[in-house]
Amino acid sequence: MDRELLQSKSTVPRAGGDALAHSLPAVSNSSRTVACRPKTHVVFLKVHKSASSTVMNILFHFGETHHLTFALPINGASQLGYPHYFLAESVEGFTLGNASAFNIICHHMRFLQAQVQKVMPSSTFYFSILRNPIRLMESSFVYYKGSSPFSPAQSLEEFLSQPARFYNSSAPDSHYAKNLMAFDFGFNHNGNFSAKHMQLMLQYIKEAFDLLLLSEYFDKSMVLLKEALCWDLDSIVSFPLNSREGSTGSALSESTAEKIKSWNRLDWAIYRHFNRTFWQRIDWSMGREHMQQEVRVLWERQEQLAKTCLQGGERGSIGPRELRDKSLAPLQHGKATILGYNLKPGLDKVTERLCLRMVTPELQYSRSLYRRQFPEKAQQIYKPAHPPRIHNGIMD
């Protein structure tokens, strides 16, 4: 079996802040019955189009407020060598033997476990988030419309009616159109896997990752993550980032959905398996009723914070043309309209800093972290045509 099928058979060893702004009331960890130490060595495999930008922001926010060190892409890049396999050398500041220098890795990469283990210590917690391949492919078609498989097709239905007419398996961007999750996990997205190979793929993911979350159940996923990392509730409160305007979505027929599952059979196998284990984990770790209680507390906290931070409160997401601060504009890609946020004016400095972190798009936030960790090199890489805007110490 080749490298693209199972990579390395070595497994990941198991692992054994700031509060929100002072103007917000404190929240207790209702589910915490036994003292535990927060995990601060974390690998997040950022699977495309699966609410992963929001999770990335949570990790950015936690890491920055707790003065942790990120394994950032070399030369201020936005991805860790993607779509090539991850290499330890793609991390800025990496040298052999300095794995303890990094706390969090969360930028896009094509997972290669042996290389990640060179960067991160053995106590690291590994997790990722999945999405139903039906909705993932619909989103990918819109977001990656400029990719070679999708650009000639007038619609997703047309692409799926005759994939061979549009799809070239050797194209360097073919992964956006077929088994994108399997590709991100490091497998051959064009592989004709047997049932045995499919089982080995699932077993490999199970052994390599401590937790697999589901974007369709994002709030439940965040509660599971909070419990697994021994973080407090405030550390996993978020606003959706890199989300599409609802009008750009489309309803799919049952026939189209079945074609997507067949075309993405590796992704469908991954999703079905870890959908089951997701609910099993809830059942044995806390139970459905307790989970719903935790989710309600999370909802209340998010609503409270949205009212504090966002112009428009809970429904604060807006299109790019409505953004007052263009330095907070998210990247617009493909045919999708990506939403952003306007902060309320007149916030005190502590609250504004908190709120700003939560609405800063990933590219801007990543640059800010790079500047903090590598200030001298950042000056050479980021040469703005005009003076950078600074919000309470965060440079855009």
Side-chain angles (χ1 to χ4, degrees), residues 31 210-214 216-228 274-295:
S31 66
D210 298 278
L211 182 62
L212 277 298
L213 306 175
L214 301 178
E216 290 83 9
Y217 305 99
F218 188 81
D219 295 321
K220 291 181 174 65
S221 292
M222 292 304 98
V223 171
L224 282 180
L225 184 65
K226 170 178 75 75
E227 296 298 300
F274 290 105
N275 186 309
R276 289 194 297 271
T277 62
F278 178 85
W279 296 105
Q280 289 168 0
R281 183 160 185 143
I282 290 175
D283 288 339
W284 67 252
S285 66
M286 63 175 61
R288 306 282 176 105
E289 185 177 349
H290 188 189
M291 168 59 79
Q292 202 53 45
Q293 292 172 357
E294 290 282 300
V295 169

Side-chain angles (χ1 to χ4, degrees), residues 89-102:
E89 290 75 16
S90 65
V91 172
E92 189 73 75
F94 169 79
T95 56
L96 283 174
N98 75 336
S100 60
F102 302 105

Side-chain angles (χ1 to χ4, degrees), residues 61-82:
H61 187 185
F62 182 88
E64 186 178 20
T65 55
H66 292 82
H67 308 292
L68 303 181
T69 301
F70 290 87
L72 300 172
I74 196 167
N75 296 326
S78 60
Q79 302 182 117
L80 290 162
Y82 193 87

Side-chain angles (χ1 to χ4, degrees), residues 306-330:
K307 290 178 179 178
T308 298
C309 294
L310 305 179
Q311 198 156 32
E314 286 184 271
R315 302 182 183 276
S317 57
I318 54 175
R321 292 184 180 179
E322 300 174 79
L323 283 172
R324 291 196 312 268
D325 187 346
K326 300 305 181 183
S327 69
L328 295 177

